[in-house]
């Protein structure tokens, strides 16, 4: 972040003066649209169209060049193509422009190395002269509060604008305005709808930082196809967390096919998706899997609720809505609240005998006969202490029902409880009447529950972030230079230096040494060849388990020597280790991600780790509690507490080892580039855990 | 089905005469709505309102009683409450009515046993006199082709009616009309929107049978909260399969909370959900998890496409749409098609250099400059042999774009290829122009891909149904009478009688017998106590593995005897069995579901089957291929072919055993109520598999 003057970035959101290089009279041209928008949306600052061939454009006086302007404009839009754009950027820098927004395409997003290099040089020159560049290939930025619509997107012609507490910041042009349009369809106001394009200089993360500083923003949505540098996103998350602003990110390229598409369309670097997932969660950023998840829950974030829990109460005039809402609630891990006896008695006094007074509360079709039932039961339910959130489902209403009473009763109820409430109303005309009362309405129960669950989970995630001590963003450690694989004995030695419990073992260079080691360690033993050239020893027959006598020891020595000679591998001794018994084999791995730095992987161990992975990722720094939570998300989680009469595992001991691995990975001084500890044999509670096989890769150059 | 005169059920869909008991002048009363609808929707048959207090109602002449009618009406609607309804049903039966539709509630859907009994008696009397009853608690039936709207649902006042090739049949009133409303919102015509209520006599399945006979129907949607008898649904599936009519079912109560809600609202029997899942798949019925999945793909079913595969081609003017569509395609198991070299060259000749000619095809924002690009590239793509289906995404368009050209170009393209095609267009106004050209438009890529994937998977499922030999529906076997658990020796003997390979074993009653059995079988051995009173032997220490000498045998005999005496369990000998080695422990279970009959469960074996189930269900009859497909859906599927240098498993042998268990369960003669074979030790290919532990429960009464 160091080289980005935060003030310059603030000015691009709210510039006092704007130059437009390549200004056009035609409002449907890239160079014409911003002028149209600056008039149409009432921008109050100074506008300087640059076009040497015209006296004026769309009613604005034109200037011949940047040099001819009466002042250095804060922001310049570059709407000329190719090399003209490169020249314009240089001119902007020379003229003292703070931020240039480059709309021209054909740069880093193509497969052409020359175009990529041109982009890099352009950005480099701008940086050197202290100017920021947004783009190239940017559709532009929009601020509905000031009318500073520095964008050529057609969407601003097609959608009625309304300022509001939501920001959208995206690498893609389309994905800056599609969420905008969908939010507007829902009636929500949106302040920012901005696209950064190729992120050659200023990235989504940096603009997210300045948007997150806007005190009127209540929700910030991001669309990302690639993350080259996590630091600005971490900084944005830190700012957002500090003021309770929720961030939701749609990071596409979740799948290999998506990553291939992203690479061929924008030259995007492929991020390892499970690391992205862990990174976003680590910073309290909710990850949306698609556009729906990006926008569907948005309205809930604007209500200012302080949710206390996840227990849901469902009220409907249809049993089917009740059943489906209960199904959806379970699917999304929202418990169906158990109503108090008092509440049930209160409901029984109001509802007909064939209605249901347990939760979900089914008013039944009796509502058609008596529209008053609805308004009478809501206050009774509102008082129940078990109710954390509400779903009201009205699948059918209209003529014969007092819909306006339902809507105002619901609105009063929502205001009184102050608790999260969603509605499911499939009829558009009926939904509109609830929306008019300020209620959040979805078409189906499952959509309403999904949005509510996302909101509650995200609030909970943010709460946990708040609980963390505030810390300066750590300088992430990245892979550097050459690496070398260590043999098992050296690997175990490194772990021991970090106080990680490893199996008791001896490295022997002769059969005689081995015999005395056997006497010392006792039998049975694991006997393995030690060689930094053989990462997968068992596949070459270089591991013997349950060795009990000197004879077997001799055989192993002979066999190992022969195999290592045949495969031309270094012979670095033979390792004798105690056979360790425990309850379960788990694993811990760690590596340096090229973008996100240290990553620790914990999970079920054994030989099928690759074929049937059951793992969770952790990004250092993390605590024992974080490891415990990650273990709880594993498929094998039920086994940790002991099943079928087995004792519980020593989870504490395992968590401690994982934390230590995290610390070791976080500091460059350890020199460790990656570790693969599998199995880590975990004993019953109190018995500890032991690393019995280790593969460490060191980062230092070959010694 | 035997007692349902199919002709009577046909007449309820299209009656020539209708009586309405409890006719009202007020069109917002339950007894007034049907009269309103019969006028409004132009019903041409004879209508007989019954109301002794009125001369006429809503312009129809009223009759004093059923007896006073000039003819026996084909169908009678019973819109009077409680005991009056019961009396009316009796009167209908006496008057020769074919089908009575009972709208009154307060019967089987309540918790009151007296109300349930009243319903049962009413249905019984009707059946005895040859009359069918729909309901009680039915919102009624609607046929838009004839205007026979025998329903009081408000939805028909609120939604503009249009006849069409879709039927909706539901136990719930709301869920008969909510799908109707959502389909109508999409502009689709719907013929039937009918609710059966409590299904005391005629069920959803039986009405589905007669709807499925309608030659103009192209899609039939069902909503179910409980399945009491699978036979009518099987029959409906058979009829539908015979003429290629797709059935989609939303069966709610998927979760324990949903089942509890269903039970308290409608007194619904809780079906085991994984059996429901297997049952629907077995009969080619697509299972929708929620209302969206029930209706969202509907339009695709009406197109008459003959899909050949799942390879998707994506075309968009936005890279972000391309990336997100590729992500969604992968998630839904649609491969991104690899375009032919010829196609790529053709695209390169048309598109600008910075566009992408691989699939997904990104036209880029160049479309704003040249609207013709779209129409030019579609024919090139249409010719590619790898394209099985298409997604066209237009996230942004409007002023500056020739949207009408896009729409007509897309429509021509869709007609020419004849292949499945979906569109993703988030702007409502732009979407409308594509819809007007007959294209199927979704808001987001992920919704479009999800619907397409559902449609393709369902077509594939139906294709596989067609490949099955036509067979009369088998009489399902149900649990009857008492059961008794067998000891392990008797369990193994039953399996052997069915030619299932079991471990070689001897049942011994004395140490002497055991010693000679040991000599015969060789060591090591598994030694287990045999007692029908102890299903979980190992938890009581009644299993010794790896027994190698007579001493251990003696100890086991002594220990077992003591333990069984202490626990008061029958002592039925000691089982000596060979220790079997193999590649993997799998399991096979089977039981009789109270509704669906025999169910076979296959999956990963071992001691964590309950704690971490990895299983699939099969409903007999099924083939080895079905078992193989089910194995392929297991989490452990990657291991079956062998990983990390292991040989592949003998899947053939395992499939054969599973098929045999299925046959054994299907026939009552076997007397087997349930089996639990865990582990079934499966060897490497060619080595077979062996049941080493078995628990059989017999159905016969105690001998």
């Amino acid at each position: 972040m160091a080289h980005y003057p935060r003030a310059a970035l603030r000015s691009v959101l709210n510039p006092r003066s704007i130059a437009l290089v390549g200004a056009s009279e035609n409002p449907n041209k890239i160079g014409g649209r911003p002028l149209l928008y600056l008039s149409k949306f009432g921008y109050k600052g100074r506008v300087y169209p640059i076009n040497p061939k015209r006296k004026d454009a769309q009613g604005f006086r034109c200037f011949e060049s940047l040099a001819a302007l009466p002042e250095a404009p804060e922001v310049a839009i570059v709407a000329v193509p190719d090399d003209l754009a490169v020249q314009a950027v240089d001119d902007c820098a020379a003229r003292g422009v703070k931020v240039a927004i480059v709309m021209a395409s054909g740069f880093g997003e193509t497969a052409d190395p020359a175009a990529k290099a041109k982009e890099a040089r352009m950005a480099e020159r701008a940086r050197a002269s202290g100017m920021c560049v947004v783009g190239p290939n940017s559709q532009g930025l929009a601020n509905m509060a000031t009318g500073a619509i520095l964008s050529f997107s057609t969407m601003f012609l097609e959608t009625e604008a309304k300022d509001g507490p939501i920001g959208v910041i995206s690498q893609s042009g389309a994905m800056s305005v599609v969420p905008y349009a969908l939010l507007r369809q829902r009636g929500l106001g949106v302040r920012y709808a901005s696209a950064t394009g190729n992120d050659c200089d200023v990235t989504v993360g940096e603009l997210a930082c300045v948007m997150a500083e806007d005190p009127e923003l209540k929700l910030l949505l991001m669309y990302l196809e690639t993350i080259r540098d996590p630091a600005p996103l971490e900084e944005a998350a830190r700012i957002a967390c500090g003021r309770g602003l929720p961030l939701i990110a749609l990071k596409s390229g979740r799948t290999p096919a998506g990553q291939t598409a992203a690479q061929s369309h924008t030259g995007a670097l492929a991020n390892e998706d499970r690391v992205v997932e862990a990174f976003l969660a680590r910073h309290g950023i909710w990850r949306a899997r698609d556009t729906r998840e990006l926008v569907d829950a948005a309205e809930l974030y604007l209500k200012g609720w302080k949710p206390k829990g996840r227990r849901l109460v469902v009220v409907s005039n249809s049993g089917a809505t009740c059943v489906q809402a209960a199904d959806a609630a379970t699917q999304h891990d929202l418990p169906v609240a158990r109503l108090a006896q008092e509440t049930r008695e209160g409901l029984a006094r109001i509802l007909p005998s064939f209605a249901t007074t347990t939760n979900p509360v089914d008013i039944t079709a009796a509502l058609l006969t008596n529209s008053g039932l609805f308004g009478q039961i809501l206050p009774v339910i509102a008082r129940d202490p078990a109710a954390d959130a509400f779903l009201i489902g009205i699948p059918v209403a209209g003529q014969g029902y007092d819909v306006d009473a339902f809507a105002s009763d619901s609105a009063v109820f929502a205001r009184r409880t102050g608790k999260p409430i969603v509605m499911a109303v499939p009829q558009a005309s009926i939904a509109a009447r609830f929306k008019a009362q300020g209620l959040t309405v979805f078409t189906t129960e499952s959509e309403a529950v999904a949005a509510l669950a996302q909101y509650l989970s995200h609030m909970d995630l943010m709460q946990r972030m708040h609980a963390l001590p505030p810390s300066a963003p750590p300088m992430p450690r990245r892979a550097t230079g050459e690496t070398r694989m260590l043999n098992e004995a050296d690997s175990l030695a490194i772990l021991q230096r970090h106080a990680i419990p490893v199996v008791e073992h001896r490295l022997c260079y002769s059969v005689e040494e081995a015999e005395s080691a056997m006497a010392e360690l006792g039998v049975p033993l694991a006997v393995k060849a030690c060689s930094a050239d053989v990462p997968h020893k068992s596949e070459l027959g270089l591991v013997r388990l349950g060795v009990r006598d000197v004879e077997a020891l001799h055989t192993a020595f002979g066999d190992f020597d022969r195999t290592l000679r045949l495969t031309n591998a270094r012979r670095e001794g033979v390792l004798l280790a105690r056979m360790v018994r425990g309850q379960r084999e788990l694993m811990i791995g760690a590596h340096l991600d090229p973008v996100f730095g240290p990553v620790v992987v914990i999970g079920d161990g054994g030989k099928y780790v690759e074929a049937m992975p059951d793992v969770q990722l952790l990004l250092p720094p993390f605590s024992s509690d974080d490891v415990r939570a990650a273990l709880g998300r594993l498929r094998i989680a039920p086994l940790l507490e002991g099943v079928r009469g087995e004792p519980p595992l020593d989870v504490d001991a395992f968590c401690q080892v994982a934390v230590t691995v995290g610390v070791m990975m976080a500091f460059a001084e350890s020199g460790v580039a990656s570790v693969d500890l599998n199995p880590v044999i975990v004993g019953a509670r109190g018995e500890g855990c032991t690393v019995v096989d280790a593969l460490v890769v060191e980062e230092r150059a070959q010694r």
Side-chain angles (χ1 to χ4, degrees), chain A:
Chain A
M1 281 297 282
H3 83 272
Y4 295 101
R6 188 71 66 87
L9 292 181
R10 283 186 198 116
S11 75
V12 78
L13 293 191
N14 189 15
R16 274 163 300 187
S17 51
I18 301 164
L20 171 56
V21 182
S24 167
E25 177 66 14
N26 183 344
N28 288 335
K29 295 267 184 206
I30 288 174
R33 281 273 167 83
L35 286 184
L36 172 71
Y37 289 150
L38 291 168
S39 315
K40 179 177 158 73
F41 293 107
Y43 173 65
K44 298 277 190 294
R46 297 177 293 283
V47 179
Y48 301 116
I50 313 279
N51 187 333
K53 295 182 193 152
R54 300 190 62 89
K55 279 247 170 324
D56 49 47
Q58 299 182 49
F60 291 93
R61 179 195 156 194
C62 277
F63 293 82
E64 201 178 331
S65 66
L66 284 158
L69 297 184
E71 66 174 324
E74 279 199 314
V75 171
I77 301 169
V78 176
V80 289
D82 303 328
D83 288 341
L84 291 175
V86 175
Q87 183 56 53
V89 169
D90 289 343
D91 294 349
C92 287
R95 188 62 182 90
V97 167
K98 285 185 186 168
V99 185
I101 301 169
V102 184
M103 292 176 170
S105 42
F107 290 89
E109 80 277 15
T110 66
D112 179 10
K116 285 179 196 294
K118 192 158 64 178
E119 173 181 303
R121 284 194 305 270
M122 174 175 78
E124 192 43 57
R125 286 193 304 274
R127 256 196 295 268
S129 63
M131 184 179 77
C132 297
V133 177
V134 173
N137 195 29
S138 163
Q139 212 161 76
L141 312 182
N143 179 344
M144 292 297 164
T146 63
I149 314 301
L150 322 178
S151 167
F152 69 89
S153 176
T154 304
M155 197 63 92
F156 301 113
L157 281 171
E158 301 287 322
T159 305
E160 199 200 341
K162 182 181 154 196
D163 184 29
I166 307 178
V168 182
I169 176 73
S170 162
Q171 287 169 340
S172 146
M175 281 304 292
S176 69
V177 292
V178 168
Y180 166 76
L182 295 176
L183 292 166
R184 292 294 302 114
Q185 281 175 27
R186 278 198 157 270
L188 302 177
V190 179
R191 174 157 301 175
Y192 305 111
S194 299
T196 57
N198 291 2
D199 286 17
C200 80
D201 180 40
V202 176
T203 69
V204 158
E206 279 113 12
L207 283 176
C209 287
V210 287
M211 286 185 186
E213 291 173 343
D214 180 339
E216 288 174 27
L217 222 59
K218 291 183 181 169
L219 177 65
L220 182 52
L221 309 182
M222 299 189 278
Y223 175 83
L224 299 155
E225 261 167 41
T226 187
I227 300 175
R228 285 196 202 90
D229 178 8
L233 288 172
E234 286 175 19
E235 172 72 359
R238 201 187 56 74
I239 296 167
C241 184
R243 49 165 295 232
L245 172 73
L247 302 185
I248 305 179
L250 171 47
K251 163 71 177 67
S252 66
R254 288 184 285 129
T255 64
Q259 290 183 351
T260 303
Q263 279 173 303
S264 68
H265 292 176
T266 58
L269 174 82
N271 297 116
E272 195 189 348
D273 197 64
R274 56 183 196 164
V275 182
V276 170
E277 191 94 9
F279 170 79
L280 295 173
R282 175 94 179 72
H283 294 281
I285 302 171
W286 188 260
R287 184 175 195 183
R289 278 171 309 170
D290 58 27
T291 309
R292 281 273 169 230
E293 288 188 10
L294 189 63
V295 301
D296 272 3
E299 193 174 341
L300 305 181
Y301 290 88
L302 312 182
K303 298 286 186 182
W305 293 321
K306 307 273 176 236
K308 297 277 181 292
R310 298 172 69 87
R311 291 169 304 175
L312 181 68
V313 174
V314 177
V315 181
S316 179
N317 61 336
S318 153
T321 293
C322 292
V323 178
Q324 292 183 86
D327 277 342
T330 304
Q331 186 184 330
H332 291 282
D333 204 21
L334 303 182
V336 172
R338 199 185 160 82
L339 297 179
Q341 187 59 31
E342 201 187 324
T343 309
R344 297 194 50 186
E345 286 165 8
L347 292 174
R349 277 192 291 275
I350 301 163
L351 292 173
S353 63
F354 49 85
T356 317
T357 60
T358 48
N359 178 27
V361 180
D362 180 9
I363 312 178
T364 77
L367 191 62
L368 177 58
T369 323
N370 178 1
S371 274
L373 289 176
F374 194 74
Q376 288 168 45
I377 66 159
L378 290 181
V380 178
I381 291 166
R383 282 193 292 271
D384 197 291
D388 294 321
F390 303 92
L391 167 77
I392 298 179
I394 307 286
V396 187
Q399 205 169 307
Y401 294 87
D402 190 348
V403 176
D404 290 325
F406 298 168
S408 59
D409 289 344
S410 302
V412 168
F413 170 71
R415 274 194 299 277
R416 291 234 176 107
T417 70
K419 292 175 183 174
I421 173 170
V422 290
M423 303 211 50
V425 182
Q427 290 163 277
S429 58
I430 308 294
R433 287 151 85 178
F434 285 95
K435 282 178 192 165
Q437 290 281 353
L439 293 153
T440 307
V441 187
F442 298 86
T443 304
T444 65
E445 306 82 28
S446 53
E447 289 161 300
V449 170
L452 179 65
Q454 171 185 327
Y455 165 74
L456 292 174
S457 298
H458 192 182
M459 288 296 109
D460 185 52
L461 178 67
M462 288 174 64
Q463 205 65 41
R464 280 181 275 136
M465 293 296 116
H466 264 289
L468 292 178
S471 67
M475 285 303 293
R477 183 183 164 217
R478 301 277 159 68
T480 57
E482 273 182 88
T483 60
R484 65 170 197 132
M485 197 171 75
L486 302 185
N487 69 32
E488 187 168 354
D490 291 344
S491 297
L492 290 172
I494 285 206
L495 299 177
Q496 280 184 296
R497 280 211 298 281
H498 287 86
I500 290 170
V502 304
V503 62
E504 198 176 349
H505 64 280
R506 300 287 181 276
L507 181 62
C508 306
Y509 295 95
S510 68
V511 180
E512 294 70 31
E513 267 188 90
E515 281 182 20
S516 70
M518 179 181 259
E520 215 180 323
L521 294 169
V523 292
L525 288 175
V527 179
K528 314 183 202 179
C530 205
S531 170
D533 295 328
V534 185
H536 301 295
K537 293 183 284 286
S538 51
E539 289 175 13
L540 287 178
L542 295 173
V543 176
R544 304 287 152 93
L545 298 179
V547 171
R548 294 178 169 271
D549 50 44
V550 174
E551 211 164 48
L553 209 54
H554 279 251
T555 314
F557 262 76
D559 290 352
F560 291 176
D561 199 65
R562 210 162 27 248
T563 303
L564 291 175
R565 277 177 197 280
L566 278 171
T567 53
N568 247 335
R570 270 172 287 179
R571 289 164 289 141
E572 302 176 307
V574 171
L575 201 74
L576 273 63
R578 282 220 168 113
M579 296 288 286
V580 178
R581 295 222 157 263
Q583 287 288 116
R584 183 90 193 168
E585 297 188 347
L586 301 187
M587 64 79 69
I588 300 176
H591 66 277
L592 295 174
D593 182 90
V595 169
F596 297 96
V599 175
V600 175
V601 182
I602 60 143
D604 195 20
K607 61 178 173 172
Y608 297 132
V609 164
E610 282 86 23
M612 298 193 297
D614 178 21
V615 299
Q616 287 286 320
L617 269 64
L618 291 158
L619 303 189
F622 55 82
S623 68
S624 268
D625 285 345
D626 295 327
V627 184
R628 196 169 286 107
L631 285 170
R633 293 190 294 269
L634 292 176
R635 179 174 180 271
I636 58 157
L639 307 189
L640 303 177
E641 280 306 302
V643 293
R644 292 180 55 106
E646 293 173 355
L649 297 194
D650 198 335
V651 168
D652 288 347
F654 180 82
C655 290
Q656 188 47 55
V657 174
V659 168
T660 306
V661 170
V663 171
M664 183 171 83
M665 294 302 295
F667 292 98
E669 294 74 13
S670 72
V672 175
S674 76
V675 302
D676 183 8
L677 315 182
N678 181 16
V680 178
I681 294 185
V682 184
R685 190 174 289 163
E687 290 178 4
C689 71
T690 312
V691 175
V692 301
D693 201 350
L695 184 59
V696 171
V697 174
E698 263 196 340
E699 221 183 11
R700 291 187 272 275
Q702 304 267 338
R703 274 186 285 225

